[in-house]
Amino acid sequence: MDAAMLPALAARLRAGRGLAAKRDIARVAARLGLSGTGAIPVGDDCAAIPDGDGFLLLAIEGFMNEFVAGDPWFAGWCGVMVNLSDVAAMGGRPIAVVDAVWADGEAGAEPVLAGLAAAAERYGVPVVGGHSNLSTDRGQLSVAVLGRAKRLLTSFAAEPGDRIVAAIDHRGRYREPFSNFEAATDAPAERLRGDLALLPEIAEAGLSSAAKDVSQGGIPGTLAMFAEASAVGAVLDVDRVPVPDGVAPERWLATFPSYGHLLAVKPGDVDTVVARFSARGIVAADVGAFEPGGRVDVRAGGRRETIWDFAREPLIGCSPRPGAAA
């Protein structure tokens, strides 16, 4: 990327809808009195609840009304998929799914439920209950997943000097007009399940202790939440981010992929971690580093631009470390 384009890119990333939506977390968490300092820290991909020799993981996602209305089958599929990604991002394996569906009649609910059931079957995770209302004036969807981890990956454990490994499945396409890049609906069950299993395998091998699922806000927005939770700074080398053929780098950076994770990895373990993803056909690369301080920057051609400065304003307002912006 031409370094002269970096200020405009940073401005677009800061103003993007995905990153702006993450600021809502701070307001809700503050109203509920939640932060990263509690017995169960808030701000991670899942609530990690100590349980015997491991952790129960509880994740939930709600979906934008326009997404449910515009692509209801895929919304149902995503209800399972994105929650399973959150569980995997914390080093866990899924146990069960519950859902809450609102629709204007049974016909309105049918495609959402069909997508949800298809994903549950393909990923091998049962739907065990939930809530339904088929007498509303619009479709809405929320889905929760329970999982379990032997050894956690967490947003709170990145340290200065850790490298940032981005692992994203490029074997897909955009679901226009949204910025969702999906590489799952045509994939065989074995591949989907095996790809998610990579994250707990990496955690259990001691190759990483910190990770985050790439979500709305894309790679930079996810990195900002990751850095804030760990009370560190970070720099993303945009020229090192692999981009699928035919996709503009600016769009890719703001993309919500069906399979995408950022991991904090010690420099000596980077090649091993990248090789594990590459062996399953997932594109992985070292794309930057965590640093001391409280800024998240993008860098190209020797130039840096800040996309978030936690000293000026928190993003999600969740960090367990003293002196953080939360």
Side-chain angles (χ1 to χ4, degrees):
M1 176 180 290
D2 185 342
M5 299 171 59
L6 207 59
L9 173 64
R12 284 197 298 273
L13 292 171
R14 281 193 298 270
R17 181 179 181 182
L19 190 58
K22 298 303 181 183
R23 300 173 69 183
D24 293 345
I25 297 171
R27 290 189 283 270
V28 173
R31 181 65 183 83
L32 294 173
L34 304 174
S35 73
T37 61
I40 300 173
V42 173
D44 225 328
D45 288 304
C46 305
I49 305 165
D51 179 59
D53 61 351
F55 296 84
L56 290 175
L57 302 176
L58 187 58
I60 187 169
E61 295 282 350
F63 295 87
M64 296 181 294
N65 289 347
E66 59 265 39
F67 178 42
V68 177
D71 201 348
W73 186 93
F74 188 55
W77 176 282
C78 286
V80 174
M81 179 181 71
V82 299
N83 275 298
L84 298 189
S85 186
D86 283 342
V87 168
M90 293 196 64
R93 295 175 175 85
I95 297 171
V97 176
V98 294
D99 66 278
V101 176
W102 292 261
D104 182 9
E106 185 176 353
E110 196 282 330
V112 175
L113 295 174
L116 191 148
E121 188 279 331
R122 193 84 60 83
Y123 283 100
V125 185
V127 178
V128 297
H131 170 81
S132 60
N133 184 335
L134 304 185
S135 301
T136 63
D137 62 351
R138 64 181 61 84
Q140 298 185 92
L141 174 67
S142 181
V143 181
V145 171
L146 179 68
R148 197 171 195 283
K150 296 178 181 178
R151 185 169 182 174
L152 279 184
L153 296 171
T154 170
S155 304
F156 300 122
E159 298 179 340
D162 287 347
R163 302 301 302 178
I164 302 164
V165 172
I168 301 177
D169 194 344
H170 288 199
R171 296 166 291 189
R173 81 291 302 161
Y174 281 102
R175 300 279 297 206
E176 303 291 358
F178 303 102
S179 291
N180 302 97
F181 188 90
E182 73 98 351
T185 55
D186 296 333
E190 181 281 329
R191 192 179 100 192
L192 294 176
R193 300 175 193 183
D195 290 351
L196 285 181
L198 281 173
L199 279 300
E201 290 168 1
I202 286 170
E204 290 158 13
L207 293 171
S208 176
S209 59
K212 199 158 188 68
D213 168 61
V214 178
S215 61
Q216 297 284 1
I219 295 172
T222 300
L223 181 59
M225 292 189 292
F226 199 167
E228 183 181 23
S230 290
V232 295
V235 57
L236 176 69
D237 290 302
V238 296
D239 289 334
R240 301 180 69 169
V241 177
V243 179
D245 292 342
V247 177
E250 296 82 359
R251 186 180 193 190
W252 185 245
L253 288 173
T255 291
F256 186 175
S258 64
Y259 185 102
H261 299 277
L262 301 181
L263 296 89
V265 180
K266 300 303 179 188
D269 290 326
V270 168
D271 288 347
T272 300
V273 170
V274 168
R276 288 202 177 206
F277 286 106
S278 298
R280 292 198 60 87
I282 297 165
V283 177
D286 179 339
V287 298
F290 290 100
E291 303 177 327
R295 298 190 316 180
V296 176
D297 293 351
V298 288
R299 178 168 61 193
R303 182 170 182 171
R304 291 174 67 140
E305 289 288 334
T306 298
I307 60 170
W308 208 271
D309 184 348
F310 303 118
R312 293 186 175 185
E313 182 182 10
L315 179 56
I316 63 173
C318 298
S319 176
R321 296 189 182 180

